[in-house]
Amino acid sequence: MIRKYALKRLLVAIPSLFIATVIVFSLSRLIPGDVVVLMMEENQYAQDLEEMRAKLGLDRPIHAQYVEWMTRAVRGDLGQSLYTGRPVLQELARRMPVSLELGAVAVVFAILIGVPIGIVSAVRQDSVRDYAARSAAILGLSMPGFWLGTLVVVLPAIYFGWSPSIEFTRFEDDPWRHLAQFLVPGCLLGIASAASIMRLTRTQLLEVLRMEYVRTAWSKGLAEHPIILKHCLKNSLIPVVTILGIQIAQILSGTVIFESIFGLPGMGRFLFDAITERDYPVIQGINLVVVTTIVTVNLLVDVVYAYLDPRIRY
Amino acid sequence: MPEPVEVTATGQWPAARTRAGAVRRALSGAGRFCRRKPLGALGAVIILALLLMAGFAEWIAPYAYDEQIPGARLRAPGRDFLLGTDNISRDIFSRIVHGARVTVTVSFATVFIANVLAAAVGITSGYFRGRYDICVQRVVDAWQSFPFLIIILSLLAVLGPGMPNIIVSLSILVAAAASRVIRGATLSVVENAYVEAARAIGCGHVRIMARHILPNVAGTIIVLATIGLGGIILAESALSFLGYGVPPPHPSWGSMLSGSGRTYMYSAPWMAVWPGVAISLVVFAFNMLGDALRDVLDPRVRGSSRQGRDI
C-alpha cells in the first residue's frame, strides 16, 4: 500500500521537476541584449557575440540545448563558471557543506523553540501565556532576518565591545570555533521557522485534544503529563513533519542573507556573488541543485507522512 | 456563506436595504470587529497610518528624502531630528516616511496582480478540474518548489533591477502559492447545490465562476491578500537590503539598512534600528489583521476556540 502511494507520489513529482528545470533552463534565455553587452564589456567573458552565445550554449536549436543541458546535468556537469573558469559542481561541492551546517543548526533551533512553546500554548489555550506565545510568534514572523542579523553584529559591538565573528574558520583549523560560528546566524535563521512550527504545533494539538480518545484518557483518571506527552503529542506532531519541507525552502532563502552578513562562504553567498558578476552558468547550476533538493525533500516528506499516519491516502 | 435575511416584525425589509442602513451596519460591524479582535484592530490602525504616511509623505516629513542638511551629520535622535540623521546628513524620519511610499506601491501592486492571477488560475482549476487542473497544478508545484529569494534574485539578475521587474517577479511567486489555496476553496464551493442550479438554468461557465463562485471565495482571497502583504513587504525589504530593490535615491526601508551606511552604524546605532522597526511594525500589523480576518471570514476556524473550552 505504502509502496503504491510512494510510486504515485513519484509520478506526480516528475512532471513538476521537469517544469522546474524548464524554468531554470529558460533563465539564461531571458537575458536582455544590453546585459549581454555588459557581460562582454565589463566582465570580459567573451570577445564577441558568437563566443558569448557559444559559452551560454545559445548557438543551437532550443530543444537540443535543453536535452544537452539536462544530459550533462544528470552526469554531474553543470557547466563552467564564467568568472572563475572552474566547474560549477566543484565550486558547489566546496560551499554546500557550509550552507547545510547553517541550515541544520537553524532547523534544530526552530524545533527546540517551536514545539515546546506550541505545546504550552495549546494546553493553556487563551491564557496569558498563550497570548504571549502567539504574539511572540507573529512578531518572530514579522521581523526581517537581515535586520536581526545587523543588530546582532552592530549593537553588542557598541555596548559590550564584542561582536560575533564574521571571519570564516575551517573545521580543520579549529573544530570548536568552526561550530560556534554557526550558532548565532543559525539561531536567527531559525526564528521565523520556529514561529511557523509553534503555530502549527498549537493548532494540531488543539485539534487532537478534542478527540474522543483523549476524553477517554481524561475520564479514566490519567494525569495531564502522560495524556499530553504520550497520547496527544505523537499524533499532533505528524503534520509538523510536512512543513519541514516548506521550512527547508525558507531556510535556503535565508542562507543568501545570513551568509552575506556573517561572512560564511556557503551556497547562498556564492549565488549572491554570481549574480553580482552576472555569472549565469553558476546561477542556473545553483537553482537546479536547489530545486531538485526541494522536490526530493517534499517527496520524502509526503511518503514519510503517509507512513506515519496510515489514514492519509490521497 | 450568504447572510440570513432578517425580516422585522412589521414585515418590512431590514434597515440594511437602504443606504443609510448599510453605512450603519458597516460601522457596527467594524465596532464589533474591534471589540472581538483588538489586536486585529490595532493592526488596521497601523496600516491606516502607513497609508497616510505614503499618501501625504511631503506634508508629514519635515525634510525631503534626499535633502542633505548642512552641519547635521550623524546626529542622535532628539528634538531637532526625531530619529536622528545618517552619514550624509539626511533626516532618517523623513526617509522612513518617504520609504513608506515604496513599501506601499510595491506591496499593493504585487498583491493586486498576484491575487487577480491566482484567482483566475485557482478558480478555473478548481471549477473545470480534470486534465486542465492536473496540468496547471504541476506548473504551480514547479514554481512553489523554488526558494523565493533564490529564484527572485535569479530572475532579477536576468531582468535587471527596478520596481516593475520586482513587482512582476514577486507577483508570479505569490500567485503560485495563493492559487493553490483559492483552488481548494473553489473545490468545496463547486459542490454546492446553487452551482448546479445555475448550470441547470443555462448559465455559462464564465457567469458561474464570476457570479456564483468568486463571491464565495472572496473571503479567502481577502485573507490571503492581507497576510500576503506582510510577506511581500519582507521580501521587498530583503531584496533592497541585498541591493536589488528599488534603485537609489528613492529611500526604501530595506536599503536604508544596507550599503555605505553599514560602516557608520557602529557609531550611529539609530541608523540600524529605525528602518527595521518600521518594517517589523508594518508586517506585524498585516499579520495581526490577516489572522483576525481569517478568524472572522473563514468558517472553518470561526468559533473554534469556543469548542476548545468544552474539554
Side-chain angles (χ1 to χ4, degrees):
Chain A
M1 189 67 190
I2 183 88
R3 201 170 298 165
K4 200 173 152 196
Y5 171 75
L7 212 65
K8 225 160 90 182
R9 184 61 187 71
L10 183 67
L11 283 179
V12 176
I14 289 172
S16 302
L17 188 59
F18 168 72
I19 297 168
T21 58
V22 171
I23 294 173
V24 176
F25 171 77
S26 319
L27 276 178
S28 69
R29 273 81 203 156
L30 293 171
I31 307 172
D34 47 340
V35 175
V36 177
V37 174
L38 278 179
M39 286 168 76
M40 290 190 294
E41 285 173 359
E42 269 185 23
N43 306 81
Q44 293 178 332
Y45 288 147
Q47 298 293 329
D48 53 30
L49 212 59
E50 281 306 303
E51 196 191 338
M52 193 76 254
R53 287 167 68 88
K55 276 198 170 173
L56 289 173
L58 297 175
D59 50 355
R60 265 151 299 147
I62 195 148
H63 55 276
Q65 288 172 27
Y66 176 79
V67 170
E68 195 189 318
W69 178 70
M70 270 322 285
T71 341
R72 281 192 180 174
V74 170
R75 288 192 197 132
D77 176 7
L78 295 175
Q80 285 187 336
S81 159
L82 293 175
Y83 186 62
T84 62
R86 278 198 287 263
V88 175
L89 196 75
Q90 195 185 323
E91 298 260 349
L92 264 178
R94 223 170 30 155
R95 294 162 211 255
M96 204 63 171
V98 177
S99 296
L100 289 180
E101 270 178 274
L102 180 62
V105 174
V107 170
V108 170
F109 265 112
I111 293 174
L112 284 183
I113 301 171
V115 172
I117 297 182
I119 294 173
V120 172
S121 198
V123 173
R124 302 277 174 266
Q125 194 192 8
D126 290 329
S127 69
V128 176
R129 268 185 283 179
D130 180 29
Y131 275 109
R134 279 157 67 194
S135 310
I138 298 189
L139 198 65
L141 286 173
S142 309
M143 290 186 294
F146 62 86
W147 180 53
L148 292 178
T150 307
L151 289 185
V152 165
V153 173
V154 171
L155 293 186
I158 297 173
Y159 298 108
F160 308 114
W162 172 89
S163 76
S165 147
I166 45 171
E167 251 169 58
F168 186 65
T169 316
R170 289 189 308 167
F171 188 78
E172 305 90 270
D173 298 340
D174 187 345
W176 178 241
R177 274 189 61 181
H178 171 81
L179 292 176
Q181 69 190 341
F182 287 106
L183 286 181
V184 175
C187 178
L188 292 175
L189 180 52
I191 284 181
S193 303
S196 315
I197 290 179
M198 178 257 149
R199 281 156 65 99
L200 189 66
T201 307
R202 179 178 177 277
T203 37
Q204 289 306 322
L205 192 55
L206 278 178
E207 222 162 81
V208 175
L209 279 172
R210 277 173 222 145
M211 289 196 167
E212 296 279 313
Y213 77 93
V214 180
R215 195 178 297 230
T216 311
W218 280 113
S219 53
K220 75 178 183 184
L222 281 185
E224 189 176 27
H225 268 248
I227 293 181
I228 305 291
L229 297 180
K230 278 195 172 164
H231 293 167
C232 300
L233 201 57
K234 270 190 201 158
N235 273 330
S236 54
L237 282 188
I238 296 174
V240 177
V241 174
T242 57
I243 65 159
L244 275 179
I246 304 167
Q247 294 310 316
I248 282 169
Q250 207 176 2
I251 283 170
L252 278 172
S253 279
T255 58
V256 181
I257 286 169
F258 285 94
E259 287 173 3
S260 297
I261 296 179
F262 290 91
L264 301 170
M267 198 193 64
R269 181 67 189 275
F270 189 33
L271 174 75
F272 185 68
D273 291 343
I275 288 171
T276 320
E277 299 296 342
R278 303 194 187 89
D279 197 345
Y280 291 101
V282 172
I283 300 174
Q284 275 188 320
I286 292 176
N287 270 292
L288 188 65
V289 169
V290 162
V291 87
T292 316
T293 314
I294 289 178
V295 170
T296 317
V297 167
N298 278 328
L299 176 67
L300 289 177
V301 160
D302 277 2
V303 174
V304 168
Y305 187 36
Y307 173 75
L308 290 177
D309 189 348
R311 287 168 298 183
I312 299 296
R313 291 288 181 268
Y314 319 111
Chain B
M1 212 168 67
E3 289 259 326
V5 175
E6 3 166 330
V7 180
T8 52
T10 49
Q12 285 171 332
W13 283 109
R17 292 284 157 156
T18 65
R19 189 171 294 170
V23 172
R24 210 177 316 137
R25 241 175 83 112
L27 280 179
S28 81
R32 203 163 52 232
F33 180 78
C34 292
R35 275 196 306 279
R36 275 179 54 202
K37 299 279 166 198
L39 283 175
L42 177 69
V45 170
I46 297 174
I47 292 163
L48 203 65
L50 170 80
L51 292 177
L52 287 177
M53 252 164 59
F56 302 100
E58 282 87 358
W59 287 276
I60 295 172
Y63 301 95
Y65 60 81
D66 53 354
E67 185 179 341
Q68 301 185 5
I69 306 139
R73 191 165 171 267
L74 293 177
R75 287 276 192 89
R79 222 172 31 164
D80 297 340
F81 304 101
L82 196 60
L83 304 179
T85 58
D86 68 3
N87 54 315
I88 46 175
S89 314
R90 294 174 301 189
D91 179 37
I92 291 179
F93 175 68
S94 304
R95 285 177 65 72
I96 286 184
V97 171
H98 281 280
R101 193 166 279 178
V102 171
T103 303
V104 167
T105 315
V106 172
S107 57
F108 279 81
T110 304
V111 99
F112 178 75
I113 299 175
N115 276 289
V116 169
L117 207 64
V121 171
I123 292 178
T124 51
S125 196
Y127 177 77
F128 290 115
R129 284 182 271 191
R131 212 172 286 165
Y132 169 75
D133 180 36
I134 292 176
C135 294
V136 169
Q137 290 314 309
R138 295 295 78 73
V139 177
V140 171
D141 275 344
W143 275 110
Q144 279 196 301
S145 42
F146 287 101
F148 95 92
L149 200 55
I150 291 181
I151 187 67
I152 281 214
L153 278 175
S154 308
L155 280 173
L156 288 179
V158 171
L159 301 173
M163 202 189 276
N165 289 344
I166 294 175
I167 293 174
V168 168
S169 33
L170 273 173
S171 304
I172 298 174
L173 281 186
V174 175
S179 76
R180 187 49 67 79
V181 184
I182 296 174
R183 171 181 173 268
T186 307
L187 282 178
S188 63
V189 171
V190 168
E191 295 301 319
N192 282 321
Y194 58 79
V195 174
E196 210 180 333
R199 202 172 297 152
I201 59 170
C203 290
H205 292 310
V206 177
R207 191 184 165 86
I208 294 179
M209 283 189 277
R211 296 292 296 272
H212 299 278
I213 294 175
L214 183 62
N216 286 296
V217 296
T220 309
I221 296 176
I222 291 171
V223 174
L224 277 175
T226 315
I227 296 181
L229 278 166
I232 293 164
I233 292 172
L234 277 182
E236 186 272 328
S237 65
L239 286 175
S240 298
F241 175 75
L242 291 171
Y244 285 87
V246 180
H250 291 284
S252 137
W253 295 343
S255 62
M256 288 174 74
L257 289 163
S258 77
S260 59
R262 280 185 77 80
T263 41
Y264 296 94
M265 286 174 187
Y266 293 93
S267 50
W270 52 89
M271 280 176 65
V273 172
W274 296 115
V277 170
I279 301 168
S280 308
L281 196 65
V282 168
V283 178
F284 185 74
F286 277 115
N287 283 337
M288 280 295 186
L289 182 65
D291 268 14
L293 283 177
R294 179 169 49 198
D295 288 353
V296 175
L297 296 175
D298 188 343
R300 276 168 306 175
V301 188
R302 195 156 40 191
S304 61
S305 71
R306 213 168 301 137
Q307 282 169 25
R309 285 205 194 96
D310 293 345
I311 21 171

